[in-house]
Amino acid sequence: MQDLAIRSTDLHCALAGLGLNPTFRKTGAIDVYLRSRRKEKKKLLSYAELQGFEPTLAPVTGGTHEAEEWTLESRSFVRAMLDDAAGHGAEIVFGTPVRELLSQGGRVVGVRTPSGTIRSEKVVLAAGLHSAALAAQVGIRLPLRGGRGYVVDLAARPGFDPTIPVRIKEHRIVVTPLEDRVRVCGSIEFGNENRPVAHERGAAMVDIASTVLPGLRGRRVIDQWAGERPCSPDGLPLIGAAEGVENLVVATGHGMWGLILAPVTAELITEHVIDPGPTRNESDWLRPDRFTR
C-alpha cells in the first residue's frame, strides 16, 4: 500500500506540473498527542519544538513533524480532472444514475440508466459504496461498508489560522489550512449507511480542534458534510478486472485513501482497459473478485 501511495504522490506532482492539480503543494504536517503515551517508536518533540512548526498551537504533551506531507483540496482536484476530461472529448453526464450493468454471454456490454441504455466496449465501475449492488448483478461480490467521515469548513481568519496541517492523533482529527478556509475533518463511523447526518459529530470535532488550535474557536461554519467511504474487509482497494466477467474494470474500496490513490488507480485502470492481461505486481492482491466464491 505504501508503494502505491508513493507512486500516486509522484503522479499528483506530475499533474501539478501540467497545471491540473491547482491546490497540490508540499506543506509538511505535525502529529500531536494530548496525553502521554506508554510506548513510542520514536522520540516525541516537545511542545516548544512543535510550536516552532505551528505557532498557533496550544500546549500539548508532544508530537512529531512529518516533512514529506502534501496538501490537496478535494473539490478543486475533481473539478480540474472533469475539465481536463471534457477538454479531451469526454462526455460528462450528471444526474444520470446507473441502474443496471448489461451483460451478455459473460461480457458487460453497457449500462442502463433512467434516461436509456448506453452501450460500451469497456465499463469502469467506480461508484463508491454503490459499486457493490451493481457488481452483484454480474456475479461479483464486493463486501463494502460505508465508513462515514465528517468535514467542517470554517471561515478563514488571517493571522489566526494554522499554517500547516495538524493531526490530533487520539481523536483522528485533521485540521488543514486551505486558501480560503480551514478544514476540520475526521472520524470513521460504521452503521446504517442511509441514516441522517449527525451534525453534532461535526460540532464535536470543531470543539476538539479548538482546544489544540484556539484560533479556531467561534469561527463561522461555511460548509459541512459527511460522506461514506467505501471500505473493504481487508482494508485494501478493489482495482482491476474480475475473472469470468469480460469488459468490466472495477475501482472502489479505497476507504480513507481515495484522494491519495486517485492518480495511481487511474493508471492501473488504464492498463487494464488497454491490455486486459495482468500488467503489474499489484494485480493479484488488489483484484476485485478476491471475495467472490
Side-chain angles (χ1 to χ4, degrees):
M1 194 74 158
Q2 185 178 9
D3 290 342
L4 281 182
I6 292 171
R7 170 61 182 159
S8 208
T9 300
D10 291 340
L11 293 171
H12 270 298
C13 290
L15 289 170
L18 295 172
L20 299 176
N21 213 343
T23 61
F24 187 68
R25 58 195 179 95
K26 189 174 183 179
T27 59
I30 58 172
D31 294 339
V32 301
Y33 297 94
L34 308 184
R35 298 183 295 271
S36 298
R37 296 168 61 80
R38 293 181 180 179
K39 294 182 179 180
E40 182 59 45
K41 294 181 180 179
K42 54 184 176 181
K43 183 179 181 296
L44 294 182
L45 300 176
S46 67
Y47 165 59
E49 291 171 313
L50 291 170
Q51 201 175 30
F53 294 107
E54 180 46 63
T56 67
L57 189 69
V60 294
T61 298
T64 60
H65 175 252
E66 306 294 338
E68 293 295 323
E69 293 288 344
W70 299 74
T71 299
L72 171 62
E73 199 282 315
S74 55
R75 290 176 173 178
S76 66
F77 176 70
V78 173
R79 189 179 303 113
M81 293 298 101
L82 291 174
D83 290 344
D84 185 60
H88 283 81
E91 181 182 358
I92 301 169
V93 183
F94 294 98
T96 308
V98 172
R99 302 297 190 196
E100 182 183 356
L101 295 180
L102 303 177
S103 62
Q104 182 178 341
R107 300 165 62 91
V108 174
V109 296
V111 299
R112 181 170 288 119
T113 77
S115 303
T117 297
I118 302 174
R119 297 277 175 173
S120 177
E121 294 182 5
K122 297 284 185 179
V123 173
V124 177
L125 178 56
L129 193 61
H130 302 292
S131 300
L134 292 168
Q137 297 172 358
V138 292
I140 303 173
R141 180 174 179 262
L142 304 181
L144 299 173
R145 290 302 306 269
R148 178 171 292 186
Y150 288 81
V151 176
V152 182
D153 284 346
L154 305 176
R157 191 181 174 192
F160 296 87
D161 293 345
T163 57
I164 62 173
V166 177
R167 296 185 290 235
I168 307 169
K169 298 297 286 184
E170 287 99 337
H171 297 279
R172 301 295 192 269
I173 293 172
V174 182
V175 181
T176 305
L178 301 174
E179 184 177 358
D180 62 343
R181 63 193 63 196
V182 177
R183 179 161 293 172
V184 180
C185 62
S187 181
I188 186 162
E189 184 180 81
F190 292 94
N192 176 12
E193 283 87 357
N194 297 315
R195 67 197 182 284
V197 174
H199 291 287
E200 62 273 14
R201 291 295 297 269
M205 291 196 315
V206 173
D207 285 344
I208 294 169
S210 297
T211 64
V212 176
L213 298 162
L216 301 181
R217 199 174 303 280
R219 299 282 185 98
R220 177 174 60 89
V221 175
I222 57 178
D223 202 0
Q224 180 175 358
W225 75 91
E228 302 287 354
R229 309 179 186 99
C231 300
S232 68
D234 58 10
L236 299 174
L238 301 112
I239 303 173
E243 186 176 353
V245 182
E246 295 183 37
N247 303 344
L248 180 69
V249 183
V250 177
T252 188
H254 292 70
M256 300 174 71
W257 292 73
L259 187 60
I260 297 170
L261 297 181
V264 76
T265 298
E267 184 179 66
L268 290 169
I269 289 302
T270 299
E271 291 179 352
H272 279 286
V273 168
I274 295 174
D275 180 5
T279 57
R280 296 178 69 92
N281 294 332
E282 295 93 347
S283 295
D284 286 340
W285 55 274
L286 295 177
R287 57 185 302 155
D289 57 357
R290 63 184 184 268
F291 300 107
T292 303
R293 293 182 179 177

mmCIF file of all heavy atoms in Angstrom, residues 231-273:
data_model
loop_
_atom_site.group_PDB
_atom_site.id
_atom_site.type_symbol
_atom_site.label_atom_id
_atom_site.label_comp_id
_atom_site.label_asym_id
_atom_site.label_seq_id
_atom_site.Cartn_x
_atom_site.Cartn_y
_atom_site.Cartn_z
ATOM 1 N N CYS A 231 -15.325 0.926 2.225
ATOM 2 C CA CYS A 231 -14.258 0.193 2.912
ATOM 3 C C CYS A 231 -14.390 -1.304 2.644
ATOM 4 O O CYS A 231 -15.486 -1.874 2.731
ATOM 5 C CB CYS A 231 -14.316 0.446 4.414
ATOM 6 S SG CYS A 231 -14.120 2.180 4.889
ATOM 7 N N SER A 232 -13.275 -1.954 2.343
ATOM 8 C CA SER A 232 -13.254 -3.399 2.120
ATOM 9 C C SER A 232 -12.856 -4.119 3.403
ATOM 10 O O SER A 232 -12.267 -3.519 4.307
ATOM 11 C CB SER A 232 -12.267 -3.737 1.001
ATOM 12 O OG SER A 232 -10.940 -3.470 1.419
ATOM 13 N N PRO A 233 -13.153 -5.423 3.526
ATOM 14 C CA PRO A 233 -12.829 -6.152 4.761
ATOM 15 C C PRO A 233 -11.347 -6.191 5.091
ATOM 16 O O PRO A 233 -10.967 -6.198 6.264
ATOM 17 C CB PRO A 233 -13.362 -7.564 4.482
ATOM 18 C CG PRO A 233 -14.427 -7.378 3.465
ATOM 19 C CD PRO A 233 -13.955 -6.242 2.604
ATOM 20 N N ASP A 234 -10.475 -6.231 4.067
ATOM 21 C CA ASP A 234 -9.040 -6.314 4.343
ATOM 22 C C ASP A 234 -8.343 -4.958 4.274
ATOM 23 O O ASP A 234 -7.122 -4.877 4.405
ATOM 24 C CB ASP A 234 -8.355 -7.301 3.388
ATOM 25 C CG ASP A 234 -8.549 -6.949 1.918
ATOM 26 O OD1 ASP A 234 -9.054 -5.846 1.632
ATOM 27 O OD2 ASP A 234 -8.203 -7.781 1.057
ATOM 28 N N GLY A 235 -9.119 -3.876 4.076
ATOM 29 C CA GLY A 235 -8.547 -2.537 4.074
ATOM 30 C C GLY A 235 -7.850 -2.144 2.790
ATOM 31 O O GLY A 235 -7.280 -1.055 2.712
ATOM 32 N N LEU A 236 -7.875 -3.009 1.778
ATOM 33 C CA LEU A 236 -7.229 -2.723 0.504
ATOM 34 C C LEU A 236 -8.272 -2.382 -0.552
ATOM 35 O O LEU A 236 -9.384 -2.928 -0.535
ATOM 36 C CB LEU A 236 -6.405 -3.923 0.038
ATOM 37 C CG LEU A 236 -5.266 -4.367 0.947
ATOM 38 C CD1 LEU A 236 -4.642 -5.645 0.408
ATOM 39 C CD2 LEU A 236 -4.219 -3.275 1.092
ATOM 40 N N PRO A 237 -7.942 -1.510 -1.482
ATOM 41 C CA PRO A 237 -8.899 -1.196 -2.546
ATOM 42 C C PRO A 237 -9.120 -2.387 -3.465
ATOM 43 O O PRO A 237 -8.339 -3.352 -3.477
ATOM 44 C CB PRO A 237 -8.250 -0.026 -3.285
ATOM 45 C CG PRO A 237 -6.794 -0.129 -2.971
ATOM 46 C CD PRO A 237 -6.697 -0.726 -1.611
ATOM 47 N N LEU A 238 -10.202 -2.312 -4.237
ATOM 48 C CA LEU A 238 -10.523 -3.332 -5.227
ATOM 49 C C LEU A 238 -10.343 -2.699 -6.604
ATOM 50 O O LEU A 238 -11.148 -1.863 -7.017
ATOM 51 C CB LEU A 238 -11.958 -3.830 -5.040
ATOM 52 C CG LEU A 238 -12.243 -4.433 -3.656
ATOM 53 C CD1 LEU A 238 -13.212 -3.538 -2.895
ATOM 54 C CD2 LEU A 238 -12.820 -5.823 -3.772
ATOM 55 N N ILE A 239 -9.280 -3.094 -7.280
ATOM 56 C CA ILE A 239 -8.916 -2.444 -8.538
ATOM 57 C C ILE A 239 -8.572 -3.513 -9.571
ATOM 58 O O ILE A 239 -7.763 -4.405 -9.301
ATOM 59 C CB ILE A 239 -7.699 -1.511 -8.367
ATOM 60 C CG1 ILE A 239 -7.959 -0.460 -7.283
ATOM 61 C CG2 ILE A 239 -7.344 -0.835 -9.677
ATOM 62 C CD1 ILE A 239 -6.741 0.378 -6.938
ATOM 63 N N GLY A 240 -9.177 -3.400 -10.740
ATOM 64 C CA GLY A 240 -8.812 -4.278 -11.839
ATOM 65 C C GLY A 240 -9.989 -5.013 -12.421
ATOM 66 O O GLY A 240 -11.154 -4.679 -12.173
ATOM 67 N N ALA A 241 -9.698 -6.039 -13.218
ATOM 68 C CA ALA A 241 -10.718 -6.838 -13.884
ATOM 69 C C ALA A 241 -11.031 -8.075 -13.054
ATOM 70 O O ALA A 241 -10.177 -8.579 -12.319
ATOM 71 C CB ALA A 241 -10.232 -7.248 -15.275
ATOM 72 N N ALA A 242 -12.261 -8.554 -13.163
ATOM 73 C CA ALA A 242 -12.692 -9.741 -12.439
ATOM 74 C C ALA A 242 -12.696 -10.941 -13.376
ATOM 75 O O ALA A 242 -13.116 -10.839 -14.528
ATOM 76 C CB ALA A 242 -14.080 -9.530 -11.860
ATOM 77 N N GLU A 243 -12.236 -12.076 -12.872
ATOM 78 C CA GLU A 243 -12.197 -13.288 -13.691
ATOM 79 C C GLU A 243 -13.617 -13.726 -14.042
ATOM 80 O O GLU A 243 -14.516 -13.745 -13.191
ATOM 81 C CB GLU A 243 -11.474 -14.402 -12.923
ATOM 82 C CG GLU A 243 -11.256 -15.659 -13.738
ATOM 83 C CD GLU A 243 -10.444 -16.699 -12.982
ATOM 84 O OE1 GLU A 243 -9.951 -16.372 -11.892
ATOM 85 O OE2 GLU A 243 -10.314 -17.824 -13.497
ATOM 86 N N GLY A 244 -13.825 -14.072 -15.289
ATOM 87 C CA GLY A 244 -15.124 -14.569 -15.723
ATOM 88 C C GLY A 244 -16.099 -13.506 -16.173
ATOM 89 O O GLY A 244 -17.196 -13.816 -16.634
ATOM 90 N N VAL A 245 -15.729 -12.230 -16.024
ATOM 91 C CA VAL A 245 -16.592 -11.137 -16.476
ATOM 92 C C VAL A 245 -15.751 -10.234 -17.376
ATOM 93 O O VAL A 245 -14.896 -9.499 -16.898
ATOM 94 C CB VAL A 245 -17.173 -10.328 -15.296
ATOM 95 C CG1 VAL A 245 -18.100 -9.230 -15.802
ATOM 96 C CG2 VAL A 245 -17.913 -11.240 -14.328
ATOM 97 N N GLU A 246 -15.998 -10.292 -18.651
ATOM 98 C CA GLU A 246 -15.203 -9.518 -19.595
ATOM 99 C C GLU A 246 -15.719 -8.087 -19.725
ATOM 100 O O GLU A 246 -16.896 -7.803 -19.474
ATOM 101 C CB GLU A 246 -15.232 -10.189 -20.978
ATOM 102 C CG GLU A 246 -14.574 -11.557 -21.009
ATOM 103 C CD GLU A 246 -14.564 -12.125 -22.410
ATOM 104 O OE1 GLU A 246 -14.371 -11.351 -23.368
ATOM 105 O OE2 GLU A 246 -14.762 -13.346 -22.546
ATOM 106 N N ASN A 247 -14.813 -7.207 -20.088
ATOM 107 C CA ASN A 247 -15.129 -5.803 -20.412
ATOM 108 C C ASN A 247 -15.446 -4.940 -19.192
ATOM 109 O O ASN A 247 -15.798 -3.773 -19.348
ATOM 110 C CB ASN A 247 -16.309 -5.695 -21.398
ATOM 111 C CG ASN A 247 -16.059 -6.441 -22.681
ATOM 112 O OD1 ASN A 247 -14.920 -6.791 -22.982
ATOM 113 N ND2 ASN A 247 -17.098 -6.688 -23.436
ATOM 114 N N LEU A 248 -15.344 -5.491 -17.987
ATOM 115 C CA LEU A 248 -15.631 -4.716 -16.774
ATOM 116 C C LEU A 248 -14.360 -4.546 -15.958
ATOM 117 O O LEU A 248 -13.640 -5.514 -15.696
ATOM 118 C CB LEU A 248 -16.688 -5.413 -15.922
ATOM 119 C CG LEU A 248 -17.062 -4.686 -14.616
ATOM 120 C CD1 LEU A 248 -17.822 -3.390 -14.917
ATOM 121 C CD2 LEU A 248 -17.890 -5.585 -13.702
ATOM 122 N N VAL A 249 -14.087 -3.305 -15.561
ATOM 123 C CA VAL A 249 -12.958 -2.989 -14.689
ATOM 124 C C VAL A 249 -13.517 -2.265 -13.467
ATOM 125 O O VAL A 249 -14.367 -1.377 -13.592
ATOM 126 C CB VAL A 249 -11.919 -2.109 -15.405
ATOM 127 C CG1 VAL A 249 -10.726 -1.860 -14.505
ATOM 128 C CG2 VAL A 249 -11.462 -2.762 -16.700
ATOM 129 N N VAL A 250 -13.045 -2.651 -12.288
ATOM 130 C CA VAL A 250 -13.570 -2.125 -11.020
ATOM 131 C C VAL A 250 -12.538 -1.224 -10.356
ATOM 132 O O VAL A 250 -11.333 -1.501 -10.401
ATOM 133 C CB VAL A 250 -13.959 -3.284 -10.076
ATOM 134 C CG1 VAL A 250 -14.448 -2.754 -8.734
ATOM 135 C CG2 VAL A 250 -15.018 -4.170 -10.712
ATOM 136 N N ALA A 251 -13.025 -0.155 -9.727
ATOM 137 C CA ALA A 251 -12.162 0.733 -8.942
ATOM 138 C C ALA A 251 -12.966 1.265 -7.767
ATOM 139 O O ALA A 251 -13.711 2.235 -7.899
ATOM 140 C CB ALA A 251 -11.628 1.875 -9.793
ATOM 141 N N THR A 252 -12.831 0.635 -6.611
ATOM 142 C CA THR A 252 -13.575 1.066 -5.423
ATOM 143 C C THR A 252 -12.883 0.509 -4.179
ATOM 144 O O THR A 252 -11.819 -0.098 -4.269
ATOM 145 C CB THR A 252 -15.050 0.599 -5.500
ATOM 146 O OG1 THR A 252 -15.792 1.186 -4.428
ATOM 147 C CG2 THR A 252 -15.151 -0.918 -5.417
ATOM 148 N N GLY A 253 -13.476 0.746 -3.004
ATOM 149 C CA GLY A 253 -12.958 0.171 -1.764
ATOM 150 C C GLY A 253 -11.721 0.850 -1.208
ATOM 151 O O GLY A 253 -10.978 0.257 -0.432
ATOM 152 N N HIS A 254 -11.508 2.127 -1.554
ATOM 153 C CA HIS A 254 -10.286 2.820 -1.126
ATOM 154 C C HIS A 254 -10.330 3.307 0.322
ATOM 155 O O HIS A 254 -9.306 3.733 0.854
ATOM 156 C CB HIS A 254 -10.012 4.012 -2.041
ATOM 157 C CG HIS A 254 -9.629 3.626 -3.438
ATOM 158 N ND1 HIS A 254 -10.526 3.070 -4.324
ATOM 159 C CD2 HIS A 254 -8.445 3.715 -4.101
ATOM 160 C CE1 HIS A 254 -9.909 2.840 -5.479
ATOM 161 N NE2 HIS A 254 -8.655 3.215 -5.368
ATOM 162 N N GLY A 255 -11.498 3.279 0.950
ATOM 163 C CA GLY A 255 -11.584 3.749 2.327
ATOM 164 C C GLY A 255 -11.125 5.191 2.455
ATOM 165 O O GLY A 255 -11.562 6.065 1.720
ATOM 166 N N MET A 256 -10.202 5.449 3.370
ATOM 167 C CA MET A 256 -9.714 6.809 3.612
ATOM 168 C C MET A 256 -8.581 7.206 2.659
ATOM 169 O O MET A 256 -8.027 8.294 2.776
ATOM 170 C CB MET A 256 -9.232 6.921 5.064
ATOM 171 C CG MET A 256 -10.323 6.643 6.092
ATOM 172 S SD MET A 256 -9.732 6.609 7.800
ATOM 173 C CE MET A 256 -9.389 8.345 8.069
ATOM 174 N N TRP A 257 -8.252 6.327 1.694
ATOM 175 C CA TRP A 257 -7.127 6.572 0.796
ATOM 176 C C TRP A 257 -7.570 7.029 -0.589
ATOM 177 O O TRP A 257 -6.755 7.094 -1.511
ATOM 178 C CB TRP A 257 -6.291 5.297 0.658
ATOM 179 C CG TRP A 257 -5.574 4.909 1.902
ATOM 180 C CD1 TRP A 257 -6.123 4.372 3.028
ATOM 181 C CD2 TRP A 257 -4.180 5.033 2.161
ATOM 182 N NE1 TRP A 257 -5.143 4.135 3.969
ATOM 183 C CE2 TRP A 257 -3.945 4.534 3.463
ATOM 184 C CE3 TRP A 257 -3.109 5.496 1.413
ATOM 185 C CZ2 TRP A 257 -2.680 4.501 4.031
ATOM 186 C CZ3 TRP A 257 -1.841 5.470 1.978
ATOM 187 C CH2 TRP A 257 -1.632 4.973 3.279
ATOM 188 N N GLY A 258 -8.836 7.341 -0.769
ATOM 189 C CA GLY A 258 -9.359 7.624 -2.097
ATOM 190 C C GLY A 258 -8.646 8.740 -2.831
ATOM 191 O O GLY A 258 -8.191 8.563 -3.973
ATOM 192 N N LEU A 259 -8.532 9.899 -2.211
ATOM 193 C CA LEU A 259 -7.908 11.043 -2.875
ATOM 194 C C LEU A 259 -6.409 10.811 -3.073
ATOM 195 O O LEU A 259 -5.844 11.177 -4.103
ATOM 196 C CB LEU A 259 -8.150 12.318 -2.061
ATOM 197 C CG LEU A 259 -7.711 13.634 -2.706
ATOM 198 C CD1 LEU A 259 -8.456 13.860 -4.020
ATOM 199 C CD2 LEU A 259 -7.962 14.803 -1.762
ATOM 200 N N ILE A 260 -5.775 10.197 -2.099
ATOM 201 C CA ILE A 260 -4.337 9.935 -2.202
ATOM 202 C C ILE A 260 -4.048 9.007 -3.384
ATOM 203 O O ILE A 260 -3.133 9.236 -4.176
ATOM 204 C CB ILE A 260 -3.815 9.305 -0.895
ATOM 205 C CG1 ILE A 260 -3.997 10.268 0.277
ATOM 206 C CG2 ILE A 260 -2.346 8.901 -1.038
ATOM 207 C CD1 ILE A 260 -3.719 9.633 1.633
ATOM 208 N N LEU A 261 -4.843 7.948 -3.520
ATOM 209 C CA LEU A 261 -4.570 6.919 -4.520
ATOM 210 C C LEU A 261 -5.279 7.153 -5.850
ATOM 211 O O LEU A 261 -5.198 6.300 -6.744
ATOM 212 C CB LEU A 261 -4.972 5.545 -3.972
ATOM 213 C CG LEU A 261 -4.212 5.051 -2.736
ATOM 214 C CD1 LEU A 261 -4.706 3.664 -2.336
ATOM 215 C CD2 LEU A 261 -2.705 5.025 -2.982
ATOM 216 N N ALA A 262 -5.945 8.273 -6.013
ATOM 217 C CA ALA A 262 -6.697 8.511 -7.251
ATOM 218 C C ALA A 262 -5.821 8.411 -8.509
ATOM 219 O O ALA A 262 -6.178 7.698 -9.454
ATOM 220 C CB ALA A 262 -7.396 9.867 -7.186
ATOM 221 N N PRO A 263 -4.678 9.085 -8.586
ATOM 222 C CA PRO A 263 -3.881 9.002 -9.825
ATOM 223 C C PRO A 263 -3.358 7.608 -10.127
ATOM 224 O O PRO A 263 -3.395 7.169 -11.277
ATOM 225 C CB PRO A 263 -2.733 9.983 -9.575
ATOM 226 C CG PRO A 263 -3.251 10.935 -8.548
ATOM 227 C CD PRO A 263 -4.113 10.087 -7.659
ATOM 228 N N VAL A 264 -2.869 6.882 -9.118
ATOM 229 C CA VAL A 264 -2.328 5.552 -9.391
ATOM 230 C C VAL A 264 -3.459 4.583 -9.724
ATOM 231 O O VAL A 264 -3.274 3.652 -10.528
ATOM 232 C CB VAL A 264 -1.473 5.042 -8.210
ATOM 233 C CG1 VAL A 264 -2.329 4.565 -7.045
ATOM 234 C CG2 VAL A 264 -0.537 3.932 -8.669
ATOM 235 N N THR A 265 -4.639 4.796 -9.150
ATOM 236 C CA THR A 265 -5.795 3.977 -9.523
ATOM 237 C C THR A 265 -6.130 4.182 -10.986
ATOM 238 O O THR A 265 -6.383 3.223 -11.732
ATOM 239 C CB THR A 265 -7.011 4.331 -8.651
ATOM 240 O OG1 THR A 265 -6.715 4.051 -7.272
ATOM 241 C CG2 THR A 265 -8.233 3.525 -9.066
ATOM 242 N N ALA A 266 -6.114 5.443 -11.430
ATOM 243 C CA ALA A 266 -6.380 5.733 -12.838
ATOM 244 C C ALA A 266 -5.343 5.064 -13.735
ATOM 245 O O ALA A 266 -5.672 4.544 -14.812
ATOM 246 C CB ALA A 266 -6.391 7.240 -13.065
ATOM 247 N N GLU A 267 -4.089 5.056 -13.303
ATOM 248 C CA GLU A 267 -3.030 4.421 -14.087
ATOM 249 C C GLU A 267 -3.275 2.924 -14.210
ATOM 250 O O GLU A 267 -3.154 2.342 -15.302
ATOM 251 C CB GLU A 267 -1.684 4.692 -13.424
ATOM 252 C CG GLU A 267 -0.492 4.161 -14.196
ATOM 253 C CD GLU A 267 0.821 4.480 -13.501
ATOM 254 O OE1 GLU A 267 1.048 3.944 -12.390
ATOM 255 O OE2 GLU A 267 1.612 5.263 -14.056
ATOM 256 N N LEU A 268 -3.635 2.275 -13.092
ATOM 257 C CA LEU A 268 -3.897 0.837 -13.112
ATOM 258 C C LEU A 268 -5.110 0.506 -13.974
ATOM 259 O O LEU A 268 -5.096 -0.467 -14.745
ATOM 260 C CB LEU A 268 -4.114 0.328 -11.684
ATOM 261 C CG LEU A 268 -2.886 0.301 -10.771
ATOM 262 C CD1 LEU A 268 -3.302 0.050 -9.334
ATOM 263 C CD2 LEU A 268 -1.890 -0.750 -11.232
ATOM 264 N N ILE A 269 -6.157 1.314 -13.843
ATOM 265 C CA ILE A 269 -7.374 1.081 -14.623
ATOM 266 C C ILE A 269 -7.085 1.241 -16.117
ATOM 267 O O ILE A 269 -7.559 0.458 -16.947
ATOM 268 C CB ILE A 269 -8.484 2.045 -14.176
ATOM 269 C CG1 ILE A 269 -8.983 1.662 -12.787
ATOM 270 C CG2 ILE A 269 -9.645 2.053 -15.164
ATOM 271 C CD1 ILE A 269 -9.510 0.257 -12.678
ATOM 272 N N THR A 270 -6.302 2.244 -16.465
ATOM 273 C CA THR A 270 -5.950 2.456 -17.868
ATOM 274 C C THR A 270 -5.243 1.240 -18.441
ATOM 275 O O THR A 270 -5.519 0.798 -19.557
ATOM 276 C CB THR A 270 -5.060 3.702 -18.012
ATOM 277 O OG1 THR A 270 -5.778 4.844 -17.541
ATOM 278 C CG2 THR A 270 -4.670 3.927 -19.462
ATOM 279 N N GLU A 271 -4.327 0.661 -17.660
ATOM 280 C CA GLU A 271 -3.619 -0.524 -18.126
ATOM 281 C C GLU A 271 -4.569 -1.692 -18.341
ATOM 282 O O GLU A 271 -4.448 -2.443 -19.315
ATOM 283 C CB GLU A 271 -2.525 -0.891 -17.123
ATOM 284 C CG GLU A 271 -1.384 0.119 -17.076
ATOM 285 C CD GLU A 271 -0.316 -0.246 -16.070
ATOM 286 O OE1 GLU A 271 -0.547 -1.206 -15.300
ATOM 287 O OE2 GLU A 271 0.725 0.403 -16.057
ATOM 288 N N HIS A 272 -5.533 -1.858 -17.440
ATOM 289 C CA HIS A 272 -6.491 -2.955 -17.583
ATOM 290 C C HIS A 272 -7.415 -2.734 -18.775
ATOM 291 O O HIS A 272 -7.843 -3.693 -19.421
ATOM 292 C CB HIS A 272 -7.316 -3.100 -16.304
ATOM 293 C CG HIS A 272 -6.613 -3.854 -15.213
ATOM 294 N ND1 HIS A 272 -6.431 -5.216 -15.254
ATOM 295 C CD2 HIS A 272 -6.041 -3.429 -14.067
ATOM 296 C CE1 HIS A 272 -5.774 -5.609 -14.167
ATOM 297 N NE2 HIS A 272 -5.530 -4.542 -13.437
ATOM 298 N N VAL A 273 -7.745 -1.496 -19.060
ATOM 299 C CA VAL A 273 -8.618 -1.204 -20.193
ATOM 300 C C VAL A 273 -7.882 -1.433 -21.512
ATOM 301 O O VAL A 273 -8.411 -2.027 -22.455
ATOM 302 C CB VAL A 273 -9.155 0.243 -20.113
ATOM 303 C CG1 VAL A 273 -9.826 0.648 -21.423
ATOM 304 C CG2 VAL A 273 -10.142 0.384 -18.956
#
